[in-house]
């Protein structure tokens, strides 16, 4: 089994992509921050189906961490990441240095309004500017035709779609379903930081969200369902629920009832770890 070549410099990446282009091949990119898990691998498999060549990028982007402790503790597992990618026939793994992505004097920020407001945007100041800036750069550096993102980071997915449209970057942004453990916990690189006791508590969040979905499907009102879910999550052992909200699936405008395709989105703290999740809520009567 041949491991994918690891490219650390932009010149090497550009040369590889130019060769594929000359051969008339299409290119997909899967942007990641490493600490890969089955969720990322599902994106790589989707990319494999969608284009002739697949580039996975691994870059822990300092600009999207509003909390220095979170950046310092973010898992870095490059050797294992390479092993996980080896069987997936990836064509290149782009692992740039921070200085290459943000050279001395770097002074441009991509800021997406609207969909980045509220939810994670309200609780992580600067986070989506950091995401939008690095993703715009990764799109331009790879010149890919298609990009794959997990629906787990639903707000991020909409921010990225918007930036590609607004900046006329000719790339199709494709969202892929969240991958979950058997007990319902959404896969996340941050799950690695949970203790065994915290890991046992963690599924309480998706379970409570599922109960909100069931209550709404049965015609129940939103506010009491959200209140019960918050209480349930804290009673299970979470320290706090940062947000639990129903938003329109297309532009994340706040909703008071599921009249249109919607998303229930949550962030909650379990010990030192902040977990996020979201599920689709069909319009009432659908
Ligand atoms: O979802 C992530 O891992 C990151 O936010 C991304 C899209 C790779 C940008 O750094």
């Amino acid at each position: 089994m041949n491991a994918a070549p690891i490219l650390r410099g932009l010149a090497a990446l550009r040369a590889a992509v130019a060769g594929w282009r000359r051969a008339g091949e299409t290119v997909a990119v899967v942007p990641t921050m490493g600490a890969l898990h089955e969720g990322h691998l599902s994106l790589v498999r989707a990319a494999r189906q969608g284009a002739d060549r697949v580039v996975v990028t691994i870059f822990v982007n300092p600009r999207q961490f509003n909390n220095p402790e979170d950046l310092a503790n973010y898992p870095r597992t490059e050797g294992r990441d390479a092993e996980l990618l080896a069987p997936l026939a990836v064509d290149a793994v782009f692992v740039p240095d921070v200085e290459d992505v943000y050279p001395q004097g770097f002074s441009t920020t991509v800021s997406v309004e609207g969909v980045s407001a509220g939810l994670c945007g309200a609780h992580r100041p600067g986070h989506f500017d950091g995401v939008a800036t690095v993703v715009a750069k990764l799109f331009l550096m790879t010149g890919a035709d298609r990009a794959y993102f997990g629906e787990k980071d639903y707000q991020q997915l909409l921010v990225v779609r918007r930036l590609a449209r607004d900046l006329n970057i000719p790339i199709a942004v494709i969202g892929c379903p969240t991958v979950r453990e058997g007990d319902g916990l959404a896969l996340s690189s941050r799950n690695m930081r949970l203790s065994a006791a915290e890991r046992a508590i963690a599924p309480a969040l998706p379970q409570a969200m599922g109960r909100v979905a069931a209550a709404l499907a049965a015609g129940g009102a939103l506010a009491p369902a959200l209140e019960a879910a918050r209480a349930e999550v804290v009673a299970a052992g979470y320290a706090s629920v940062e947000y639990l909200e129903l938003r329109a699936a297309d532009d994340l405008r706040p909703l008071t009832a599921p009249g249109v395709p919607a998303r229930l989105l949550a962030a909650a703290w379990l010990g030192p770890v902040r977990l996020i999740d979201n599920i689709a809520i069909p319009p009432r009567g659908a």
Side-chain angles (χ1 to χ4, degrees):
M1 198 180 309
N2 283 340
I6 295 190
L7 308 178
R8 293 188 191 275
L10 180 56
L13 174 70
R14 287 236 156 102
V17 173
W20 300 332
R21 290 279 180 222
R22 275 196 298 278
E25 293 174 324
T26 55
V27 180
V29 63
V30 182
T32 82
M33 297 203 299
L36 301 181
H37 51 63
E38 191 49 42
H40 298 109
L41 303 187
S42 74
L43 302 180
V44 176
R45 287 189 201 103
R48 198 54 293 161
Q49 297 297 311
D52 300 314
R53 298 289 181 169
V54 176
V55 179
V56 174
T57 70
I58 298 182
F59 178 62
V60 181
N61 173 33
R63 288 190 171 232
Q64 72 186 76
F65 287 83
N66 53 306
N67 176 347
E69 221 174 285
D70 192 25
L71 173 61
N73 289 326
Y74 200 83
R76 289 160 174 85
T77 58
E78 199 182 307
R80 189 159 176 279
D81 292 346
E83 275 171 33
L84 287 172
L85 290 174
L88 298 185
V90 165
D91 296 283
V93 184
F94 181 51
V95 190
D97 289 333
V98 178
E99 297 72 31
D100 289 335
V101 178
Y102 301 118
Q104 189 74 31
F106 186 87
S107 26
T108 300
T109 298
V110 179
S111 191
V112 178
E113 289 168 14
V115 287
S116 65
L119 307 170
C120 288
H123 294 275
R124 302 185 66 190
H127 168 67
F128 285 121
D129 284 1
V131 169
T133 302
V134 83
V135 168
K137 286 182 63 92
L138 292 169
F139 284 0
L140 295 170
M141 288 192 276
T142 58
D145 307 287
R146 299 165 79 83
Y148 291 78
F149 292 84
E151 287 183 347
K152 151 90 176 7
D153 297 299
Y154 193 81
Q155 192 174 15
Q156 166 173 284
L157 173 62
L158 294 200
V159 166
V160 168
R161 280 214 172 111
R162 191 75 256 167
L163 90 83
R165 267 182 221 151
D166 288 356
L167 299 180
N168 302 104
I169 303 179
I171 194 165
V173 175
I174 294 142
C176 298
T178 301
V179 179
R180 296 180 182 278
E181 302 278 9
D183 60 10
L185 180 65
L187 295 196
S188 163
S189 305
R190 291 192 166 83
N191 295 353
M192 287 180 198
R193 294 181 49 212
L194 297 171
S195 68
E198 287 159 355
R199 175 62 191 82
I201 292 166
L205 180 63
Q207 282 161 9
M209 294 171 74
R211 276 190 270 278
V212 174
L216 293 175
L222 178 63
L226 293 180
E227 206 174 304
R230 283 173 171 275
E232 208 180 296
V233 169
V234 171
Y238 273 77
S240 62
V241 177
E242 204 174 76
Y243 64 76
L244 176 64
E245 293 185 38
L246 189 71
R247 298 276 184 128
D250 57 353
D251 64 1
L252 295 181
R253 66 190 180 282
L255 298 177
T256 50
V260 294
R263 223 67 207 185
L264 181 67
L265 303 105
W269 285 90
L270 181 50
V273 183
R274 180 178 178 277
L275 296 177
I276 61 171
D277 202 346
N278 73 89
I279 56 173
I281 304 286
R284 194 159 272 170

